[in-house]
Amino acid sequence: MARFELKLPKMGESVAEATITNWLKEVGDRIEADEAVLEIATDKVDSEVPSEVSGVLIEQLFGKDDLVQVGQTIAIIETEGDAPAETKTEETVIPAAAAEIEKTIEAVKETVTAPQDFTSSDKFFSPLVKNIAKEEGVSVAELNSIQGSGKDGRVTKEDILKYIEDRKSGAVTVKVAETPKTVEAPKVVEPAVQKSQQAVPVSVNGGDEIIEMDRMRKLISGYMVASVQTSAHVQSFIEVDVTNIVKWRDKVKTAFEKREGEKLTFTPIMMEAVAKALKDFPGMNISVDGDYIIKKKNINLGMAAALPNGNLIVPVIKNADQLNLVGMAKAVNDLGNRAKAGKLKPDDTQGGTYTVTNVGTFGSVFGTPIINQPQVGILALGAIRKVPAVIETPEGDFIGIRQKMFLSHSYDHRVVDGALGGSFVKRVAEYLEAFDVDRDF
C-alpha cells in the first residue's frame, strides 16, 4: 500500500489560499480518480478539489472552515502499489506539518502588531514607503526615527530599504513601541460595530425568521460597503436607440446559433461597444492605489452574473478588445453558463479592469451600480423597451415606435470627472446607435 498526499492545487496567479467549506468524503471512504474530495472557497469562487488517484481516504489534515495555503497537504489517500518517491510517510508528514504550524505560530507572535496608523505621525510618508513598512513590519516609531534624504527630510524608498538592511544586520536597534505586541484589531473594530448596532436597532418579533448570511453574501456585503466608503460615486445616464441592433439580431440569431453552436444575446453586442469605448478613453481603464493612478494595459471586462442562490459573481473576459463578435458571444456564454453551474475557477474572476452589469435582465429601466474595486467605473444596461419617439427625417419630424434603453454609468469622482465619465458613456451609445445592420457576424 502507498500513501498519496492530496495538496491544495494552484488556482491562479493571484490566489494563495482557500478556505475548506465542506468535506465530501470522510475518513474510510473509497475515492476514485478525478472524484471530488472536498469543497473550497476563495474570496471570489467556490470550487471542488478532485483526487488525482484512486484509493481510500485515511486522514484529513484540516477541518471545515480552516484556511489552507496553496501547495499544502490537506489529506492522505491510501492507494495500492508502491509509494511515489517524493511521497512522505505518515510518520514524517505529521511531525513536519506540526513543526511547520508551530513555527508559523511563533513567527506570527513575534511579528504581528496592532495595525499601523501612519496618520498618527506628523511626518509625510509616500504610499510606497508605507507599503514597504507594512510588509517589513516597520513601526511608525521606527519610521519617525529614520533620517530622510528626500526633500524637506522626507523618507525615500532608498532610506527605508537601507534602514531595513541595517536592522537585519544589527547595525541599528529596533525602536519598540511602549504597547505590548498583541493583535488589537478586534478590540478596535468591536466598539464601532456596537455603536452601529445601537444606532440602527432591529426589532424582532415571534413571527420573524432569522437567517444567517452565507459566506459569499458576507463577502459581497463587505465589498459593497468598502467600495462606497472608498470611491466617490457619481452617475451619468444616457438613452440609446438600439432599434437597428434588435432588428439585426432577430434576423441573424437563428443562423448564428446554427453556425456557431451558440445563442446570440444582446450582451456580447453591448460588451463589444464598451471595449471599443475603453480603447478610445483609456482614462476609464484604470485603478487607484493611494495617491497613484495605474493605467491598465489590457482591457478585461467583468460581467456581473446572478447565481441561482441569489448571490452575485463577476467573471472576467480577458483582452475583450481583441475579440470579434463571435468570440465575445462565446466568452459571454461560457462564463455565464459556468457561473450558473458553479464551475468557475478563481482565475475567471481575477484581473477585471471595467465591469458591465445587465440590470435589464430583471426588467429594470436603469440603475446606479456600485463600483467593483479597485476599478473606477461600472456600466448598467437597462431593459430594452418599445417607446414612442421623435424621428427626424428630411421630410420633417414624426412620431414612431423605437427600441430604446438606458445606459447608467457609475464612476469614481476621485479620478474621473464628469467630462470623462459622460463622454465615455456617450461613446458607447454612439457605437450602439451606429451599429451596421448589414454586417456579418
Side-chain angles (χ1 to χ4, degrees), residues 165-177:
E165 184 178 348
D166 291 343
R167 187 175 70 167
K168 290 179 179 178
S169 65
V172 296
T173 303
V174 177
K175 190 170 182 179
V176 181

Side-chain angles (χ1 to χ4, degrees), residues 374-387:
Q375 300 166 25
V376 298
I378 181 171
L379 185 70
L381 309 175
I384 298 176
R385 304 172 301 142
K386 289 183 179 180
V387 296

Side-chain angles (χ1 to χ4, degrees), residues 247-287:
K247 289 181 178 178
W248 180 82
R249 176 180 172 272
D250 289 341
K251 181 177 67 174
V252 306
K253 64 181 181 181
T254 302
F256 184 93
E257 184 173 0
K258 184 177 180 180
R259 192 185 86 175
E260 303 297 335
E262 299 280 351
K263 291 186 179 295
L264 178 61
T265 65
F266 290 109
T267 301
I269 301 174
M270 306 295 173
M271 299 292 255
E272 182 185 53
V274 172
K276 289 180 180 178
L278 285 172
K279 291 190 73 172
D280 296 339
F281 295 94
M284 287 304 310
N285 199 52
I286 66 174
S287 62

Side-chain angles (χ1 to χ4, degrees), residues 363-415:
S364 296
V365 178
F366 54 79
T368 55
I370 296 175
I371 296 168
N372 187 17
Q373 296 295 326
Q375 300 166 25
V376 298
I378 181 171
L379 185 70
L381 309 175
I384 298 176
R385 304 172 301 142
K386 289 183 179 180
V387 296
V390 176
I391 302 173
E392 297 180 357
T393 70
E395 292 76 25
D397 298 343
F398 65 93
I399 301 295
I401 303 299
R402 306 295 289 178
Q403 300 270 8
K404 290 197 172 187
M405 66 181 294
F406 281 99
L407 302 179
S408 310
H409 187 208
S410 292
Y411 46 96
D412 190 342
H413 213 350
R414 293 179 302 165
V415 290

Side-chain angles (χ1 to χ4, degrees), residues 36-205:
V37 180
L38 69 159
E39 295 175 339
I40 59 172
T42 66
D43 61 344
K44 293 284 186 180
V45 174
D46 295 350
S47 57
E48 298 176 341
V49 177
S51 173
E52 300 172 38
V53 298
S54 297
V56 177
L57 179 64
I58 61 172
E59 189 166 5
Q60 298 173 347
L61 299 181
F62 293 92
K64 184 178 178 181
D65 297 327
D66 283 351
L67 190 65
V68 185
Q69 302 298 313
V70 169
Q72 274 190 293
T73 301
I74 49 183
I76 305 295
I77 299 173
E78 190 173 65
T79 64
E80 296 181 359
D82 296 331
E86 69 276 9
T87 304
K88 299 177 182 179
T89 62
E90 183 181 10
E91 287 73 25
T92 58
V93 169
I94 304 305
E100 186 65 26
I101 293 172
E102 189 67 28
K103 182 179 178 182
T104 303
I105 293 173
E106 291 302 320
V108 169
K109 287 181 179 179
E110 290 297 322
T111 60
V112 174
T113 61
Q116 297 292 345
D117 181 13
F118 294 104
T119 59
S120 62
S121 174
D122 294 331
K123 289 186 176 182
F124 170 81
F125 301 111
S126 70
L128 178 60
V129 169
K130 288 190 283 188
N131 285 336
I132 293 174
K134 289 178 182 177
E135 291 176 2
E136 297 293 337
V138 177
S139 67
V140 178
E142 290 179 86
L143 272 182
N144 286 331
S145 67
I146 299 174
Q147 296 297 320
S149 61
K151 184 180 178 181
D152 299 326
R154 289 182 181 176
V155 176
T156 65
K157 173 185 175 182
E158 290 71 24
D159 294 332
I160 190 170
L161 291 178
K162 184 178 183 304
Y163 174 82
I164 293 169
E165 184 178 348
D166 291 343
R167 187 175 70 167
K168 290 179 179 178
S169 65
V172 296
T173 303
V174 177
K175 190 170 182 179
V176 181
E178 295 180 0
T179 54
K181 291 183 178 180
T182 90
V183 180
E184 297 292 344
K187 295 181 180 178
V188 174
V189 174
E190 219 171 345
V193 173
Q194 290 175 352
K195 288 181 181 178
S196 175
Q197 291 173 343
Q198 292 172 359
V200 187
V202 177
S203 62
V204 180
N205 59 43

